[in-house]
């Protein structure tokens, strides 16, 4: 059987109005736009005490597994990898702020993945998503955007801890120059619709950092992928029934549901893949891909795997089937042998990527209803408390509690879904009952 006939039989290219060359180029384009995660994710999880080389390899393997499911089970052109915001929550909230081990965090991710695998065969995942108020969903995206942008500024030493809270860091330094040039490149290329803007920003920032001596050239550009042994299969179930686990698990579940369904809907809309009712055919199969990727990723040693909005770049290039996802997966597999290249990307360049992604996530703020104070205040609390407390979970908690309270006290309690009432009570107990917080 020829290659073209195999692709046609498996991916039904003609039915989707595409061909092998278009699909492969779309997959490469998607990889170019999302490959920054191979530098950013190891850097973030390293702050949680994990081996960056092992995280690099684990991220690639989990991403490839998820994209193989996306390709052969769902037959959709979406790329998947470690989700931005979720990795920051893993490192900076669960480990650094709550004081839990990274093994505990991986266990929460593993349980989340198992729950999502089960929910992917039912309609409950969509039901949970629909139960959360629309404005809170949008506020979560905005809050995460501000949160990871703040993380980027702190990691690049552009913002530091001062006598009161935060203060401007040493921006007139070689490191500051690398950060601002990387950021400028990313923003300018994005404005000019140049694909792979974040990747190019990191590449140019890395070259400048080598010239300035911020980082140093590796001994070789190609090597065998680092072993995942330091972080693989190290789950910790000792605190699985604690309130901390419930809080962390819910945050992972909520953000991942919002991330995946929102991204799938948005990208599928651009590709005209939705049916006449606005639903995504085989949507449950697409969600199964990130669930399996997340479960495998937790076992290997990386944070939650989710569908990337950068998949829209491949869709814009004509990608319509799982062959696009397969091509992206192949690019990830090849990248596994270039860890020395990714390892010299300076923190200032990856921090610029965090700030840029933060900007992208912030754009949904224009869709929040600020004319109704009962909608505006909970959204505001969600957005404010994420960067202020350095925690996505706290932002979600304050948002849900304030939403429920203001609706009740203004006589509009019927607008609150039963699920939100339950969550509000649980989160409120966490703050008022000693030992639960």
């Amino acid at each position: 059987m020829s290659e073209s006939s195999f692709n046609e039989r498996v991916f039904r290219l003609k039915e989707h109005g595409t061909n092998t060359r278009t699909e492969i180029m779309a997959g490469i384009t998607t990889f170019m736009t999302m490959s920054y995660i191979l530098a950013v994710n190891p850097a973030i999880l390293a702050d949680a005490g994990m081996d960056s080389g092992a995280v690099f390899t684990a991220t690639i393997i989990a991403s490839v597994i998820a994209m193989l499911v996306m390709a052969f089970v769902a037959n959709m052109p979406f790329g998947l990898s470690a989700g931005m915001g979720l990795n920051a929550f893993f490192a900076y909230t669960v480990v650094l702020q709550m004081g839990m081990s990274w093994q505990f965090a991986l266990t929460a991710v593993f349980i989340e993945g198992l729950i999502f695998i089960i929910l992917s065969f039912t309609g409950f995942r969509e039901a949970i998503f629909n139960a959360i108020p629309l404005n809170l969903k949008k506020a979560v995206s905005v809050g995460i955007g501000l949160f990871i942008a703040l993380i980027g500024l702190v990691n690049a030493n552009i913002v530091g801890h001062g006598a009161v809270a935060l203060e401007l860091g040493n921006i007139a330094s070689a490191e500051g120059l690398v950060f601002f040039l990387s950021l400028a490149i990313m923003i300018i290329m994005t404005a000019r619709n140049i694909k792979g803007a974040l990747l190019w920003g990191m590449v140019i920032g890395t070259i400048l950092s080598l010239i300035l001596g911020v980082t140093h050239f590796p001994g070789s550009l190609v090597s065998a992928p680092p072993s995942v042994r330091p972080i693989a299969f190290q789950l910790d179930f000792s605190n699985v029934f604690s309130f901390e686990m419930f809080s962390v698990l819910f945050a992972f579940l909520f953000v991942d549901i919002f991330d995946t369904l929102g991204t799938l809907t948005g990208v599928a809309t651009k590709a005209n893949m939705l049916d006449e009712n606005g639903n995504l055919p085989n949507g449950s199969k697409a969600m199964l891909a990130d669930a399996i990727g997340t479960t495998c990723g937790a076992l290997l040693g990386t944070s939650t795997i989710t569908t990337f909005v950068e998949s829209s770049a491949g869709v814009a290039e004509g990608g319509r089937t799982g062959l696009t996802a397969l091509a992206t997966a192949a690019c990830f597999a090849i990248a596994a042998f270039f860890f020395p290249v990714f390892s010299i990307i300076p923190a200032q360049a990856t921090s610029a990527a965090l700030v840029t992604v933060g900007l992208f996530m912030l754009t949904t703020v224009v869709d929040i209803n600020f004319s109704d104070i009962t909608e505006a205040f909970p959204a505001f609390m969600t957005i404010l408390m994420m960067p202020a407390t350095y925690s996505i979970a706290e932002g979600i908690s304050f948002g849900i509690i304030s939403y429920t309270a203001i609706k009740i006290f203004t006589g509009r309690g019927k607008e609150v879904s039963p699920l939100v009432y339950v969550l509000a009570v649980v989160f409120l107990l966490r703050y008022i009952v000693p030992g639960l917080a």
Side-chain angles (χ1 to χ4, degrees):
M1 180 183 292
S2 68
E3 177 184 343
S4 58
S5 60
F6 172 81
N7 291 339
E8 178 60 39
R9 182 174 64 85
V10 174
F11 301 111
R12 306 191 307 276
L13 301 183
K14 291 181 180 179
E15 177 184 328
H16 291 87
T18 184
N19 56 61
T20 298
R21 182 182 182 281
T22 298
E23 293 291 300
I24 292 176
M25 291 305 298
I28 295 172
T29 299
T30 297
F31 171 78
M32 288 289 291
T33 59
M34 62 183 290
S35 59
Y36 67 88
I37 196 64
L38 296 181
V40 175
N41 200 50
I44 290 177
L45 298 194
D47 288 342
M50 301 179 72
D51 182 278
S52 61
V55 172
F56 172 82
T57 303
T59 301
I60 288 177
I61 297 174
S63 302
V64 169
I65 291 172
M67 284 186 277
L68 289 178
V69 176
M70 184 66 75
F72 292 108
V73 177
N75 193 23
M76 291 186 180
F78 304 128
L80 302 94
S81 193
M84 291 295 296
L86 289 161
N87 52 9
F89 174 67
F90 181 110
Y92 300 108
T93 298
V94 180
V95 177
L96 297 181
Q97 187 194 61
M98 295 176 61
M100 310 305 291
S101 67
W102 55 262
Q103 291 89 343
F104 172 93
L106 284 177
T107 305
V109 173
F110 177 72
I111 296 172
E112 175 210 353
L114 291 179
I115 292 174
F116 274 171
I117 288 176
I118 296 171
L119 295 184
S120 294
F121 294 103
T122 70
F124 192 62
R125 194 169 176 179
E126 293 90 334
I128 295 174
F129 180 78
N130 294 334
I132 304 299
L134 179 61
N135 277 306
L136 286 187
K137 295 174 190 173
K138 297 182 183 301
V140 166
S141 178
V142 176
I144 292 175
L146 290 177
F147 177 50
I148 63 176
L150 177 61
I151 290 170
L153 292 174
V154 171
N155 286 355
N157 293 319
I158 301 302
V159 171
H161 296 283
V164 179
L166 299 175
E167 65 181 14
L168 190 64
N170 181 16
I171 63 175
S173 61
E175 290 80 4
L177 179 60
V178 171
F179 170 81
F180 285 113
L181 177 66
S182 301
L183 181 61
I185 293 297
M186 293 174 188
I187 298 300
I188 292 170
M189 286 191 168
T190 300
R192 291 180 172 272
N193 294 318
I194 298 175
K195 295 178 177 62
L198 273 66
L199 176 63
W200 284 116
M202 289 194 296
V203 168
I204 295 172
T206 300
I207 293 172
L208 179 62
S209 72
L210 290 170
I211 294 173
L212 297 178
V214 175
T215 54
H216 302 284
F217 201 81
S220 64
L221 297 179
V222 181
S223 70
S227 171
V228 298
R229 184 173 299 175
I231 59 174
F233 303 102
Q234 296 200 35
L235 305 183
D236 176 13
F237 291 95
S238 60
N239 294 306
V240 71
F241 296 111
S242 65
F243 191 86
E244 288 87 355
M245 177 60 78
F246 171 82
S247 177
V248 169
L249 183 59
F250 176 77
F252 274 130
L253 287 167
F254 179 86
V255 176
D256 197 10
I257 287 175
F258 173 79
D259 246 8
T260 301
L261 286 173
T263 299
L264 284 174
T265 302
V267 178
T269 299
K270 293 183 179 180
N272 294 318
M273 297 173 65
L274 302 181
D275 61 22
E276 61 276 7
N277 297 317
N279 299 319
L280 179 62
N282 291 327
S284 60
K285 293 181 180 179
M287 287 185 283
L288 181 63
D290 80 86
I292 292 176
T294 293
T295 306
C296 294
L299 292 174
L300 293 168
T302 190
S303 53
T304 304
I305 302 298
T306 188
T307 306
F308 264 51
V309 71
E310 285 81 1
S311 302
S312 58
V315 168
E317 289 296 308
R320 294 294 183 272
T321 73
L323 183 54
T324 293
L326 182 61
T328 305
C331 291
F332 267 78
I334 294 171
F337 297 93
F338 292 90
F339 176 69
V341 175
F342 286 93
S343 67
I344 63 170
I345 298 176
Q348 292 73 24
T350 57
S351 294
L354 289 176
V355 173
T356 306
V357 173
L359 168 64
F360 296 157
M361 299 184 75
L362 192 69
T363 56
T364 57
V365 72
V366 299
D367 298 323
I368 296 175
N369 178 17
F370 286 108
S371 61
D372 181 348
I373 191 66
T374 68
E375 297 285 336
F377 180 72
F380 171 70
M381 291 301 295
T382 302
I383 295 168
L384 175 66
M385 296 305 289
M386 285 190 190
T389 63
Y390 232 58
S391 170
I392 294 172
E394 302 294 1
I396 294 172
S397 296
F398 273 85
I400 288 178
I401 292 171
S402 60
Y403 179 84
T404 305
I406 198 170
K407 291 293 184 180
I408 290 175
F409 291 123
T410 56
R412 298 166 60 178
K414 292 183 178 180
E415 297 179 15
V416 183
S417 71
L419 175 61
V420 173
Y421 271 118
V422 172
L423 293 174
V425 171
V426 171
F427 287 134
L428 189 60
L429 287 174
R430 178 188 174 204
Y431 295 117
I432 64 178
V433 177
L436 288 184

